[in-house]
Amino acid sequence: MTNEMPRLGYFLTQTFWDDANRLLDFQLSIKPKNMHFHTMSMFHYERIPLAQRELVRTKGYFEMRVSTNLFYGLESEFAVLPYPVPKGNLGLRRYQFFTYPIRVLHYAIGLYLVKLSQDLVHQFYRKNNRIHSAYGGHLVFDEASNKLQLNYDSVWYKPHYQKFRQKVRAEVKGDLTDKVVIRLDIQNYFEEVDVSKLLSLLDEFVKPSINKQMKFDAVVRSEISAFYEFVANKRTGIPQADNDIISAFLGYLLLIFADLKIDDLLNQTGSVLSSHRIYRYMDDIYVILLFKSSAKRIERENFVSELGPKLSDILYSGFNLRLNTKTRLYWLSDEKDVEDLLKNLKRVSPGYELPDDDRKANPQEMVDLIIKQLEKLKRRSLDPTFDNRSDVDDEILKQVYDKSVANLLKKKENLAAISAVFRNFNFDIVAAQPREILILLLLDPTASVEFEKYLCQKTNFSSRDVSLILMYLCQTAFSSNILTARLQSSAYIAEVIRVCTSNMIPSHNPGYFGLRFDQIEKLARYSNVIDQTHLRVVCERRADLSVALNHLLNEVHALCRHLDAAAAGSGKEYNGDRVIDFLVNFGVANTTVLKMRNLFDRRNKNPVSHADVLAWPVTDSEYSDYRISVGQCLAQLL
């Protein structure tokens, strides 16, 4: 590899790669004991042969594919595939499925940022006793050994969410006369996070000595931004993927700077406030205001009225984030507001299953309540507004995650009661609280068979149907070949399922123009070829084909220049004619050479490179034809 430009290897070391592999291995190791990790990605990763996972861990793999940036061109091996996940009423989240190697790469880059920010987070931010925040994990490097510390709390959200919720609940006790709570809800948070903004803030506020030590400079910021633009198809945002502790950390990290700004704002308004606190779990923010008892009602109302827009301005002007209509104000002197706040606090994001901390019923009483809740669901009619959660007590069914409750559910008399409920059950109602109802339904073999038949009979899948089938497959270890095959026919998730069920890493045929890796590895020494590959792939993803065509030509042009011994010292004179002469002398097929000749001519009539009145945009079919020809040319050259 030449030293023309830095790559990920400029800052990302083998140590971070090793730690990223350890982190993913640790998540897989606790999957058998924890249903939270029974997700599509985790099933795929654990079924990849150990020999292939061991290959990914090696120094050679890291140095050849990752540190050189060659991975950008290995589109099958390092694939990120989008698919929709339902939220709320009819909303959809943009989730991503990561193949094993790019999940490790995402983790490695994230761990670099964990280490970079560790002093700022632990030695300054967390010492502020007015701010309490969490993200569902605890990733930290031991200062003495410089090693990533891994234990259950590192990746398991429950204790962190539980602590957050307990702290907010503690604020709703005692004398509430002078207390107000503002809950801030950020619109499409993960999709709106600006990675470049996060990196700029870290550059400004991390100690210069740490930045210097970790090479955190403009080059590194550019490389990390480019990676996340690649992952998001040039959109803003950070990935949303199942069990993705690194994305959770990145989302948490950006908002520590918002927490500090909000804290500064409230510190400057001491005329009516006695104190304040900020509690945050990821992007779920509760600002607690305690007014001085001497402050009149009109003063409090004016203060809150002025504060709301200021908080909105902080998030928008400082972080390009917008509040949505779920943002709420609670006057805790009002019993109805207290009730609404506690009810709101029970609503956790999809994927976070946590029963109410304050329930005092014994396990058998909870089992009885679960069965009564199922009976209530059975009698209900579907809500025409599509809000299948309108009369569901989330907390009751979430007790299925309590170990003592889960064990009691398997007792003979409880199983009989569950079986009775699921007899003649309307399976459309499962959507009311799918994961919890599925766990209960699968305790009854007859209901399980009937539910699978119900899913198999569905046609013209919606994204919600796809999500329900996927959830069922994850709870049954993908045992239904019929349902798996049905998902492969759905436009929403077909490619994801195809890759997921392959149970392999395509390291021998990684997706670079259909070439074998023993051909592709020669490119690792040519950094300018890799640069053009990276730029081409990004342009292809955003369907900017006129620009992509230029990079496609530059890719083969640069390679010819490296391979052509006569090109040494030729400078700018190595033009299209010399490339064509080289290809002819090399023995490339005449039809392919003619296509390359036409590609040079087409580039000159491309409006991106030449402001010619006769230039015209590149079409899909035209680009596809030239891309195939370039692949044929590269196959012969390599």
Side-chain angles (χ1 to χ4, degrees):
M1 173 181 167
T2 67
N3 293 319
E4 293 177 18
M5 289 179 62
R7 301 287 178 272
L8 288 184
Y10 171 71
F11 71 96
L12 199 64
T13 64
Q14 179 75 38
T15 301
F16 286 114
W17 187 252
D18 293 341
D19 282 333
N21 278 284
R22 285 178 53 235
L23 173 56
L24 186 50
D25 284 346
F26 185 78
Q27 287 182 303
L28 291 174
S29 74
I30 60 180
K31 174 183 170 291
K33 309 171 190 174
N34 191 322
M35 287 184 293
H36 180 70
F37 294 91
H38 286 205
T39 58
M40 177 169 58
S41 291
M42 294 296 148
F43 274 108
H44 171 60
Y45 299 154
E46 73 176 358
R47 292 178 177 183
I48 293 171
L50 183 59
Q52 288 197 316
R53 284 158 57 187
E54 290 287 353
L55 172 66
V56 172
R57 297 186 181 104
T58 62
K59 182 178 180 181
Y61 188 97
F62 172 73
E63 291 185 344
M64 179 67 69
R65 290 166 166 86
V66 178
S67 66
T68 61
N69 282 17
L70 180 59
F71 73 90
Y72 281 116
L74 310 183
E75 296 182 77
S76 299
E77 190 170 4
F78 290 81
V80 180
L81 305 173
Y83 66 101
V85 171
K87 68 172 182 177
N89 275 352
L90 300 177
L92 292 172
R93 284 186 174 85
R94 188 178 73 222
Y95 256 57
Q96 284 134 318
F97 174 84
F98 287 80
T99 58
Y100 187 88
I102 201 163
R103 171 81 80 138
V104 176
L105 177 50
H106 165 49
Y107 277 16
I109 291 173
L111 290 175
Y112 169 86
L113 294 174
V114 168
K115 188 172 182 182
L116 176 77
S117 62
Q118 184 164 302
D119 173 79
L120 171 67
V121 172
H122 293 273
Q123 301 306 317
F124 178 78
Y125 170 75
R126 289 197 172 175
K127 290 185 176 181
N128 186 327
N129 58 17
R130 295 180 298 275
I131 304 173
H132 306 271
S133 64
Y135 62 91
H138 185 64
L139 297 171
V140 63
F141 286 84
D142 180 75
E143 292 184 8
S145 66
N146 207 26
K147 193 176 182 67
L148 177 68
Q149 301 301 291
L150 288 175
N151 53 52
Y152 215 56
D153 282 0
S154 301
V155 298
W156 175 223
Y157 83 92
K158 185 174 179 177
H160 307 285
Y161 186 81
Q162 219 162 20
K163 188 175 181 181
F164 157 77
R165 197 160 70 170
Q166 287 167 353
K167 283 183 177 293
V168 178
R169 279 193 170 134
E171 295 286 352
V172 193
K173 293 179 181 177
D175 185 2
L176 304 177
T177 308
D178 301 317
K179 195 173 285 188
V180 169
V181 176
I182 302 175
R183 184 202 177 212
L184 303 177
D185 197 284
I186 298 174
Q187 185 169 310
N188 299 326
Y189 179 61
F190 270 72
E191 295 177 15
E192 297 298 326
V193 168
D194 186 336
V195 173
S196 296
K197 180 65 178 177
L198 169 60
L199 299 175
S200 176
L201 289 165
L202 291 172
D203 178 52
E204 184 175 359
F205 293 112
V206 168
K207 288 179 179 177
S209 59
I210 296 175
N211 282 342
K212 182 74 172 176
Q213 178 187 357
M214 296 191 65
K215 296 184 177 179
F216 188 64
D217 54 20
V219 170
V220 173
R221 295 195 296 277
S222 175
E223 287 293 313
I224 295 176
S225 293
F227 174 76
Y228 284 108
E229 287 174 0
F230 167 77
V231 167
N233 274 353
K234 208 62 179 176
R235 301 176 182 178
T236 58
I238 51 178
Q240 293 186 83
D242 57 55
N243 298 116
D244 187 350
I245 189 63
I246 287 298
S247 282
F249 171 78
L250 295 179
Y252 158 84
L253 186 59
L254 176 65
L255 284 182
I256 73 169
F257 300 103
D259 295 338
L260 294 170
K261 282 184 173 290
I262 293 171
D263 184 51
D264 283 341
L265 173 66
L266 295 173
N267 281 334
Q268 296 164 10
T269 53
S271 58
V272 295
L273 281 188
S274 174
S275 65
H276 71 270
R277 277 173 295 280
I278 301 165
Y279 298 105
R280 177 169 64 85
Y281 187 84
M282 284 298 301
D283 61 323
D284 204 0
I285 308 170
Y286 290 80
V287 180
I288 315 294
L289 306 176
L290 182 64
F291 287 101
K292 292 178 179 178
S293 57
S294 59
K296 297 177 182 178
R297 175 74 183 195
I298 188 64
E299 292 178 307
R300 300 178 186 201
E301 289 176 351
N302 288 341
F303 178 86
V304 171
S305 177
E306 292 177 4
L307 179 61
K310 290 177 182 178
L311 295 176
S312 179
D313 289 347
I314 284 173
L315 291 167
Y316 184 73
S317 62
F319 306 92
N320 300 322
L321 299 171
R322 293 168 293 160
L323 294 175
N324 66 24
T325 54
K326 293 180 184 177
T327 294
R328 274 287 314 268
L329 171 67
Y330 303 93
W331 295 90
L332 299 192
S333 55
D334 184 324
E335 289 186 6
K336 181 64 167 64
D337 275 13
V338 172
E339 182 183 338
D340 288 347
L341 172 61
L342 292 174
K343 186 182 295 184
N344 178 276
L345 195 58
K346 293 177 182 180
R347 299 278 183 172
V348 292
S349 299
Y352 294 117
E353 303 87 14
L354 188 64
D356 194 331
D357 307 312
D358 294 339
R359 289 196 182 269
K360 303 299 182 184
N362 67 40
Q364 184 56 54
E365 288 173 340
M366 288 311 311
V367 169
D368 294 340
L369 286 172
I370 286 170
I371 293 171
K372 286 180 180 178
Q373 180 69 7
L374 287 175
E375 290 170 343
K376 179 181 178 182
L377 283 168
K378 184 176 181 178
R379 293 192 296 269
R380 67 175 284 180
S381 59
L382 290 176
D383 191 325
T385 67
F386 294 94
D387 183 3
N388 285 327
R389 302 168 63 88
S390 58
D391 66 347
V392 177
D393 186 337
D394 293 19
E395 298 302 319
I396 290 177
L397 292 186
K398 281 181 183 170
Q399 297 298 325
V400 299
Y401 301 107
D402 182 279
K403 288 183 180 179
S404 56
V405 171
N407 289 332
L408 276 176
L409 283 167
K410 297 173 185 175
K411 287 182 64 175
K412 185 177 180 180
E413 57 269 31
N414 292 328
L415 286 175
I418 290 170
S419 296
V421 173
F422 282 115
R423 200 172 299 127
N424 300 318
F425 193 84
N426 179 0
F427 289 128
D428 289 336
I429 294 170
V430 174
Q433 205 168 338
R435 194 189 304 269
E436 290 78 15
I437 297 176
L438 275 175
I439 289 171
L440 293 163
L441 183 151
L442 290 169
L443 292 172
D444 176 33
T446 301
S448 301
V449 170
E450 291 301 315
F451 185 69
E452 186 166 325
K453 287 180 182 176
Y454 158 82
L455 293 176
C456 289
Q457 289 167 1
K458 280 184 169 288
T459 57
N460 300 320
F461 291 159
S462 68
S463 58
R464 198 164 291 264
D465 293 329
V466 167
S467 181
L468 186 60
I469 293 172
L470 187 57
M471 201 172 293
Y472 174 79
L473 288 173
C474 286
Q475 292 298 326
T476 56
F478 284 81
S479 59
S480 172
N481 293 329
I482 295 174
L483 285 176
T484 302
R486 293 291 303 279
L487 285 187
Q488 287 179 333
S489 67
S490 167
Y492 293 110
I493 203 167
E495 182 65 9
V496 174
I497 295 298
R498 184 191 66 77
V499 172
C500 179
T501 55
S502 67
N503 298 331
M504 61 173 290
I505 299 171
S507 52
H508 295 298
N509 296 284
Y512 181 78
F513 291 102
L515 304 184
R516 303 183 314 274
F517 190 75
D518 62 338
Q519 297 171 285
I520 301 164
E521 62 184 342
K522 300 170 187 176
L523 297 178
R525 67 187 85 140
Y526 306 137
S527 61
N528 57 344
V529 178
I530 294 173
D531 287 340
Q532 295 302 318
T533 301
H534 175 195
L535 294 169
R536 169 182 59 78
V537 170
V538 168
C539 291
E540 287 175 350
R541 287 181 170 216
R542 66 178 187 233
D544 196 348
L545 300 184
S546 292
V547 178
L549 186 83
N550 277 24
H551 295 304
L552 182 67
L553 176 59
N554 292 345
E555 202 170 342
V556 71
H557 190 168
L559 179 61
C560 289
R561 184 167 181 169
H562 284 294
L563 298 179
D564 188 352
S570 62
K572 292 183 179 179
E573 291 89 33
Y574 196 75
N575 57 23
D577 290 337
R578 293 193 61 176
V579 170
I580 299 305
D581 289 343
F582 167 70
L583 293 177
V584 169
N585 293 331
F586 193 89
V588 174
N590 288 321
T591 53
T592 302
V593 175
L594 285 171
K595 281 288 189 180
M596 294 301 99
R597 186 169 178 265
N598 286 351
L599 180 55
F600 274 99
D601 180 73
R602 181 64 180 92
R603 189 270 307 273
N604 294 335
K605 296 300 178 183
N606 185 344
V608 171
S609 52
H610 290 80
D612 191 316
V613 292
L614 297 178
W616 67 98
V618 176
T619 65
D620 287 353
S621 59
E622 188 181 17
Y623 183 80
S624 176
D625 184 50
Y626 280 121
R627 196 183 191 282
I628 291 170
S629 297
V630 166
Q632 292 168 344
C633 183
L634 292 173
Q636 295 175 71
L637 291 175
L638 295 172

